[in-house]
Amino acid sequence: WENRSGSQDGTGYTSRSFPANLSKLLTVNYYDDYNFPGNIFGHPSSEQSSSVSGLPTGSKAGLLNSSELLLSVTYYDSEGRTVKLKSQNHLSGTDEVSNSYTFIGALTATTRKHSSSGVSDLTISQRYEYDHAGRRKSSFIKIGNQQPEVEVSRFVYNELGQLKQKKLHNGL
């Protein structure tokens, strides 16, 4: 078993398990807290839960043909649902995904903000609507600020709750 402690390779883990002294790490995972080396995104805000015992909180993934490890940090709400995911990308920028949920846990909205060096930021927003029985009724997407929101899909159900019809892109 590995322990979290200071390490020579910067991962935050001891190097006692087999195989020891790997020449290149491809993935490192962190659980239970946000106190791991290289966490440039920090700790949860007041809207996010710091009670994350048993949940994956961060990971570092290696790029092929490089010694660089890219960081991803996951933030949760009090119900253990992912509310924010921040990650580095290979273009020297960051990606941030934010999620919103209904009281019963259905995903209502997700927003992805992508930034990279030398390119203007891009925001992609998705929104979901549900019927009285909690079935997804429609999905919408908006890319950037210049386009209106577009209906991506609409679902029609019969009296038994079975999917009767699926319409794509504004009812086609």
Side-chain angles (χ1 to χ4, degrees):
W1 297 95
E2 294 289 337
N3 290 326
R4 295 259 301 266
S5 66
S7 66
Q8 301 294 334
D9 60 6
T11 63
Y13 286 107
T14 57
S15 186
R16 297 183 298 167
S17 299
F18 179 81
N21 301 322
L22 292 173
S23 61
K24 181 176 177 164
L25 291 173
L26 297 178
T27 306
V28 179
N29 295 311
Y30 300 96
Y31 300 86
D32 302 331
D33 62 36
Y34 295 96
N35 299 321
F36 50 86
N39 183 1
I40 59 172
F41 298 121
H43 292 276
S45 67
S46 59
E47 304 92 43
Q48 300 154 351
S49 177
S50 58
S51 177
V52 290
S53 180
L55 295 173
T57 54
S59 68
K60 293 179 183 177
L63 292 174
L64 296 177
N65 300 323
S66 173
S67 61
E68 184 179 8
L69 294 174
L70 299 178
L71 174 68
S72 293
V73 178
T74 305
Y75 299 97
Y76 301 92
D77 64 7
S78 59
E79 302 295 322
R81 300 175 293 208
T82 301
V83 291
K84 191 168 293 244
L85 174 68
K86 293 182 178 182
S87 59
Q88 294 174 309
N89 62 43
H90 68 288
L91 301 171
S92 301
T94 58
D95 292 320
E96 182 177 312
V97 178
S98 301
N99 296 322
S100 301
Y101 301 91
T102 64
F103 177 75
I104 60 170
L107 182 65
T108 58
T110 182
T111 303
R112 179 177 185 224
K113 295 177 184 175
H114 173 78
S115 67
S116 60
S117 61
V119 179
S120 59
D121 294 354
L122 176 64
T123 301
I124 300 172
S125 301
Q126 292 178 273
R127 185 173 61 85
Y128 308 101
E129 292 179 351
Y130 299 87
D131 66 8
H132 67 284
R135 297 175 298 226
R136 186 174 290 177
K137 194 168 65 171
S138 54
S139 303
F140 301 89
I141 190 167
K142 182 176 181 177
I143 300 174
N145 295 326
Q146 300 172 355
Q147 297 181 8
E149 184 178 68
V150 175
E151 184 179 40
V152 177
S153 62
R154 176 171 295 277
F155 303 100
V156 179
Y157 300 92
N158 65 15
E159 295 79 17
L160 298 175
Q162 299 167 326
L163 183 62
K164 178 177 155 182
Q165 193 175 38
K166 179 179 179 181
K167 297 180 181 183
L168 300 177
H169 186 61
N170 292 331
L172 298 176

